Amino acid sequence: MKKIVLVFFALFLFIKVNAQNQIKGKVTDINDDPLIGASVSLPELNKGTVTNQAGEYLISNIPNGKIKIQFSFLGYSTNIKTIEISQKENIVDASLTISVIQSQEVVVTGGYVSSQHENAVKIDVLKSKDIALSGTPNFMESLTQIPGVDMIAKGQGVSKPVIRGLSMNDVLVMNNGVRIENYQFSEDHPIGIDDNDVERVEIIKGPASLLYGSDAIGGVINFIKEKPAPVGKILGNYRTQFHSNTLGMNNSIGLKGASKNLFGGFHFGTKTHADYLQGGGEYVPNSRFNEMTLNANTGYTGKIGTFKLFYDYFKQNLGMTVPAVEPLITERGRKNEIWYQDLDHQLLSSQNRLFFGNFKWDINASYQTALRKLQTTLDVPFVEMRLNTMTYESKLYFPSNNKSEYIIGLQGMSQKNRNLNDRDSQFLPDANVNNIGFLGLARYTFFETLKLQGGLRFDIYNTKTYALGTKDSNSYQAPVNKNYSNLNGSIGATYSANGKTMFRVNFAKGYRVPNLSELTSNGFHSSRYEIGNENLSPENSFETDLSMHYHGEFLSFDLAGFYNEINNYIYISPTTDTNSTGVTIYRYSQTNAKLYGGETGIHFHPQAMPWMHIEGTYSMVIGKDDDGNYLVYIPAQKFRYEIRVGRDQIGFLQKPSIKLSALTALKQNHPSLYETATDGYTLVNLSVNTNFQITRQTLNLSLSINNIFDTQYFDHLSTLKSLGYYNQGRNISISLMLPFGLK
């Protein structure tokens, strides 16, 4: 098998092509010394390379037009340039300055391929290395390192992102720019993303309906896939990770290669975890989970453009800790046998960028299918549904100059939900959902220091359901046909005062149409009985964001504040009614609401101690309805702080580092009417990371200890709090990564 894979990649490494446009140059430091192994990438073409022993690089087969090129090297500031390709040979040199504090990144989630500092919408970035070193078996938990991002969790296997107090369908989750559709409407459902081939995560905090339509009312989390291998190389890696708390094992292997025109790769991974241990050592019954993933991609880059094809398969078996299971689980285990979600999600996406002179045209399409089964104690699934979704997108980038950029486009979605095999529970009816949106974006620069950015979008949305059940019975659901339309937009500005200090202001209107569950649900969902409301109106959000960023050689500082007013905010609450078996009925309702708060962070690198980094962040959000009642699932105020020290080399250890960090959550004493207050807590964590060599092979080894003191605590957003189960106790994680490559 190994030989077949190697032959497959080797075949396209030797494909000959005609001479076309190329970019070449040299990357040096401020003393004009070459930087060996510096990364040079073209984000818009999904193409890149590294510099040789002389600091030189060469990238061929580049189309005409305006493109961005990024130069980066560990310990140096990232340099991002915009260049005009109009001839066969283009020389672009770069000089990088030492920067002990990480500088800006190229981001794609804000509508433009641009640097973080250029975009009027603030975009936070979390790299794969930070995710891997988080030391948690819960992928979503690693994202909470970003201030303002939290999670609703049902143990370690099931979690949902929360951005500035909004969650569920108010936050859009994307896999490399493709919206994930996998019955994401409940706190009991996972996000459906694995970190196998993720290079970084880009997060927008605030309404992004202009860019992505419905469901982006609270923000966007976009999981960006890793870059292709440098041209002419085959690279791979194997990673294994052990977690003491869950007796968990994560294993993954990946391989990728690139020639002058072609690139491709794959990743395969598995995870298996037993019931987790609370603080104090007691296990939580049926919190076990098992996963398997396969990710593959291929593509072509030529003078006309870039064509990419991705396939993602994600299989999850997630134990459900619900009251019905407590007397049935008598010992700790890892095999899913009763009361678990059996989930199967497949995504095929095509992403293409064409170059026509100075025009650029994006044409993207995807198809995904999500099979959801709920296994209880029956021999067959209690619930079995399939959701098929096709999305498409077309954007035209007009000829631009150093001051202006203009984009027009459309996005659409066609979706079918179907109940399968006439299972005992048909919580949702069969339905068709269709949406199309038209958008226009513009950005203009004044005086080289002030950038204005804005746009408008118009959407048309239709939800049509079919009758379910026997007419005149209590379980009958009449057909529903709902049409919605919405006009949204945003306008913002970025002002760079002196090259180090930047100010942002942004006003955005967002919207979200009621989802299928909110409109039509009728039946048991987890441990409650839910009834939808077909008279719900779309949510409309009006948010103002203000932020500033300072980036010096030894100090960086961020401060952001927001005020978000939501009309027709949708929520679910218990009623005084019960069903025929005496279970409390929950119904969906609407009210007007407001959320406000902010985040701040500081990163200090003492000049006298170049091996030390000190960081701290703070986040808070308050959410209320028009009657002054607090909203549900609002996270506590949180402080995060860390001290990190590192060296280039100690003995045989390369780039060793050690980090001591802590999280303090204040008491959440403003619960909603359907919650209880939650005490504050402090968790202390430790992590160690280093590279070393055995013969000529480089390995990366990391050790993390989370919740060192095995603290018993409830996170306010844990759905297991009502059952009396604490969050995870002490966890020791050991990770080993083995990179390898062929030329």
Side-chain angles (χ1 to χ4, degrees):
M1 178 64 183
K2 181 179 179 182
K3 290 182 179 179
I4 295 175
V5 172
L6 292 178
V7 169
F8 168 76
F9 281 103
L11 283 176
F12 68 76
L13 290 179
F14 298 99
I15 291 177
K16 295 181 181 293
V17 295
N18 295 325
Q20 295 179 353
N21 296 342
Q22 63 181 22
I23 304 174
K24 65 179 183 179
K26 188 173 183 179
V27 183
T28 62
D29 61 17
I30 57 174
N31 297 318
D32 206 31
D33 293 325
L35 293 178
I36 304 169
S39 174
V40 184
S41 63
L42 306 174
E44 294 165 284
L45 298 180
N46 212 46
K47 197 169 189 175
T49 187
V50 294
T51 55
N52 60 19
Q53 295 294 317
E56 298 170 340
Y57 73 92
L58 172 66
I59 304 178
S60 303
N61 305 313
I62 309 299
N64 290 332
K66 182 180 173 183
I67 62 173
K68 284 185 168 59
I69 182 169
Q70 174 179 304
F71 303 90
S72 57
F73 191 69
L74 187 63
Y76 288 76
S77 60
T78 299
N79 191 337
I80 301 169
K81 296 185 177 184
T82 301
I83 57 176
E84 186 81 28
I85 303 297
S86 57
Q87 54 191 4
K88 287 190 175 181
E89 186 171 291
N90 303 268
I91 299 176
V92 184
D93 297 326
S95 177
L96 305 186
T97 58
I98 293 176
S99 176
V100 293
I101 296 178
Q102 179 182 317
S103 61
Q104 61 183 330
E105 295 286 336
V106 168
V107 292
V108 298
T109 310
Y112 304 89
V113 176
S114 63
S115 73
Q116 286 174 277
H117 294 175
E118 286 180 319
N119 211 300
V121 178
K122 188 177 187 297
I123 302 175
D124 289 284
V125 175
L126 186 68
K127 293 187 175 180
S128 59
K129 181 180 178 181
D130 299 314
I131 295 172
L133 294 178
S134 62
T136 173
N138 187 336
F139 179 32
M140 180 60 225
E141 187 175 5
S142 64
L143 306 188
T144 62
Q145 300 174 66
I146 301 294
V149 178
D150 292 270
M151 68 171 183
I152 300 169
K154 201 178 196 71
Q156 294 299 305
V158 182
S159 56
K160 301 289 289 187
V162 179
I163 298 180
R164 290 178 168 177
L166 292 175
S167 55
M168 262 62 87
N169 274 69
D170 287 333
V171 173
L172 180 63
V173 176
M174 308 183 77
N175 182 347
N176 209 43
V178 179
R179 58 186 299 139
I180 294 299
E181 293 290 327
N182 63 349
Y183 299 107
Q184 66 271 29
F185 50 76
S186 168
E187 66 269 22
D188 291 328
H189 301 169
I191 60 174
I193 293 284
D194 185 80
D195 60 338
N196 248 2
D197 64 341
V198 171
E199 176 188 277
R200 67 185 188 277
V201 183
E202 297 181 0
I203 300 174
I204 296 177
K205 291 179 285 191
S209 291
L210 167 64
L211 302 172
Y212 301 108
S214 180
D215 293 8
I217 193 171
V220 174
I221 299 181
N222 192 5
F223 296 88
I224 308 297
K225 293 184 179 294
E226 65 180 15
K227 300 173 184 174
V231 172
K233 291 188 176 182
I234 296 175
L235 302 177
N237 66 77
Y238 169 73
R239 186 174 70 182
T240 183
Q241 190 174 51
F242 170 75
H243 294 273
S244 66
N245 185 282
T246 60
L247 302 177
M249 287 294 299
N250 299 349
N251 288 282
S252 68
I253 186 168
L255 192 68
K256 61 182 180 180
S259 70
K260 290 182 179 180
N261 287 94
L262 301 177
F263 56 88
F266 74 88
H267 273 273
F268 176 77
T270 62
K271 294 182 180 180
T272 176
H273 293 263
D275 301 326
Y276 83 85
L277 301 179
Q278 308 173 69
E282 292 293 322
Y283 76 91
V284 176
N286 213 37
S287 58
R288 61 198 70 175
F289 67 97
N290 295 275
E291 299 178 356
M292 182 183 73
T293 60
L294 173 65
N295 315 104
N297 71 86
T298 186
Y300 172 88
T301 298
K303 192 169 184 179
I304 191 173
T306 299
F307 307 86
K308 296 175 285 185
L309 188 66
F310 300 92
Y311 173 73
D312 297 277
Y313 174 76
F314 196 14
K315 173 68 176 176
Q316 294 178 290
N317 288 338
L318 307 173
M320 300 293 292
T321 303
V322 294
V325 84
E326 292 178 287
L328 303 178
I329 300 292
T330 57
E331 61 182 21
R332 190 183 188 199
R334 71 173 65 246
K335 185 178 180 181
N336 298 105
E337 296 178 304
I338 60 172
W339 278 99
Y340 66 94
Q341 299 182 60
D342 181 357
L343 307 178
D344 187 304
H345 186 257
Q346 299 183 70
L347 170 62
L348 181 67
S349 62
S350 172
Q351 300 181 10
N352 314 286
R353 170 163 287 188
L354 304 176
F355 292 83
F356 300 102
N358 290 325
F359 287 87
K360 290 181 283 191
W361 186 18
D362 286 353
I363 307 174
N364 305 323
S366 74
Y367 175 79
Q368 56 190 299
T369 178
L371 177 62
R372 174 178 178 77
K373 300 178 186 177
L374 176 60
Q375 306 282 0
T376 56
T377 56
L378 304 175
D379 293 332
V380 296
F382 183 61
V383 175
E384 187 173 4
M385 298 186 296
R386 182 179 291 279
L387 185 67
N388 294 331
T389 305
M390 176 169 285
T391 59
Y392 52 91
E393 176 183 62
S394 176
K395 290 182 181 177
L396 182 64
Y397 297 74
F398 287 88
S400 59
N401 53 40
N402 292 331
K403 290 187 175 182
S404 62
E405 291 183 86
Y406 305 97
I407 305 172
I408 60 171
L410 65 87
Q411 295 170 332
M413 179 181 75
S414 180
Q415 190 172 75
K416 291 183 179 181
N417 179 69
R418 295 294 184 266
N419 289 282
L420 305 178
N421 299 319
D422 196 27
R423 298 307 185 190
D424 285 351
S425 175
Q426 297 189 29
F427 177 69
L428 300 177
D430 292 349
N432 296 336
V433 177
N434 290 282
N435 162 243
I436 188 168
F438 305 90
L439 60 95
L441 306 173
R443 182 160 65 180
Y444 196 86
T445 302
F446 297 88
F447 318 116
E448 298 184 356
T449 57
L450 176 65
K451 292 182 181 292
L452 295 183
Q453 178 177 315
L456 291 173
R457 178 189 180 107
F458 181 74
D459 277 89
I460 302 171
Y461 213 100
N462 173 259
T463 299
K464 179 181 179 181
T465 73
Y466 298 90
L468 178 63
T470 304
K471 197 169 185 178
D472 298 326
S473 69
N474 291 333
S475 61
Y476 176 72
Q477 297 184 46
V480 172
N481 192 347
K482 307 292 289 186
N483 293 292
Y484 307 100
S485 61
N486 220 295
L487 180 65
N488 299 278
S490 72
I491 186 168
T494 302
Y495 175 69
S496 179
N498 52 21
K500 293 183 177 181
T501 306
M502 177 165 294
F503 298 92
R504 285 189 184 91
V505 60
N506 194 64
F507 175 78
K509 178 184 180 294
Y511 86 106
R512 179 174 76 81
V513 300
N515 62 48
L516 191 59
S517 177
E518 293 163 341
L519 288 171
T520 64
S521 59
N522 187 2
F524 282 99
H525 190 213
S526 185
S527 57
R528 65 194 186 198
Y529 196 95
E530 297 182 6
I531 295 181
N533 181 355
E534 67 175 87
N535 296 315
L536 295 175
S537 300
E539 294 182 339
N540 281 281
S541 165
F542 303 86
E543 180 168 316
T544 301
D545 291 271
L546 298 169
S547 67
M548 68 86 62
H549 171 79
Y550 171 81
H551 197 105
E553 186 176 356
F554 301 101
L555 176 71
S556 70
F557 177 74
D558 280 279
L559 179 65
F562 70 94
Y563 183 88
N564 191 3
E565 187 170 319
I566 303 178
N567 296 335
N568 300 317
Y569 174 78
I570 300 173
Y571 66 98
I572 188 170
S573 61
T575 67
T576 57
D577 299 328
T578 60
N579 74 341
S580 58
T581 59
V583 177
T584 299
I585 292 177
Y586 284 67
R587 294 183 185 273
Y588 285 97
S589 303
Q590 290 189 294
T591 184
N592 293 332
K594 55 182 177 291
L595 298 100
Y596 53 92
E599 308 90 31
T600 186
I602 188 169
H603 184 171
F604 177 54
H605 179 77
Q607 187 173 3
M609 294 179 284
W611 38 266
M612 177 179 287
H613 292 257
I614 301 172
E615 294 187 53
T617 65
Y618 165 73
S619 60
M620 64 88 68
V621 58
I622 295 174
K624 294 182 179 182
D625 64 23
D626 272 2
D627 295 326
N629 300 312
Y630 289 96
L631 303 181
V632 69
Y633 291 135
I634 300 298
Q637 299 179 56
K638 290 182 178 177
F639 293 89
R640 293 181 181 271
Y641 22 86
E642 68 178 53
I643 297 177
R644 184 174 75 253
V645 297
R647 295 282 191 179
D648 287 335
Q649 191 153 356
I650 299 178
F652 68 93
L653 302 178
Q654 303 169 4
K655 300 191 181 301
S657 65
I658 183 170
K659 180 174 72 173
L660 181 66
S661 62
L663 162 67
T664 295
L666 302 185
K667 182 176 182 178
Q668 172 51 295
N669 52 10
H670 297 302
S672 75
L673 297 174
Y674 318 109
E675 299 174 318
T676 58
T678 306
D679 290 335
Y681 57 88
T682 294
L683 307 177
V684 180
N685 308 316
L686 177 71
S687 65
V688 180
N689 180 66
T690 188
N691 295 330
F692 62 94
Q693 284 191 326
I694 297 179
T695 63
R696 292 186 177 183
Q697 179 61 57
T698 299
L699 295 94
N700 175 265
L701 178 66
S702 62
L703 169 69
S704 300
I705 308 176
N706 288 2
N707 194 359
I708 291 176
F709 301 111
D710 204 28
T711 301
Q712 287 186 332
Y713 73 99
F714 293 116
D715 186 276
H716 186 67
L717 303 187
S718 170
T719 61
L720 297 182
K721 175 190 170 188
S722 60
L723 299 179
Y725 294 118
Y726 294 109
N727 284 72
Q728 182 175 271
R730 183 187 301 114
N731 180 53
I732 301 173
S733 171
I734 301 174
S735 178
L736 179 68
M737 187 173 73
L738 171 68
F740 56 89
L742 299 172
K743 191 170 183 180

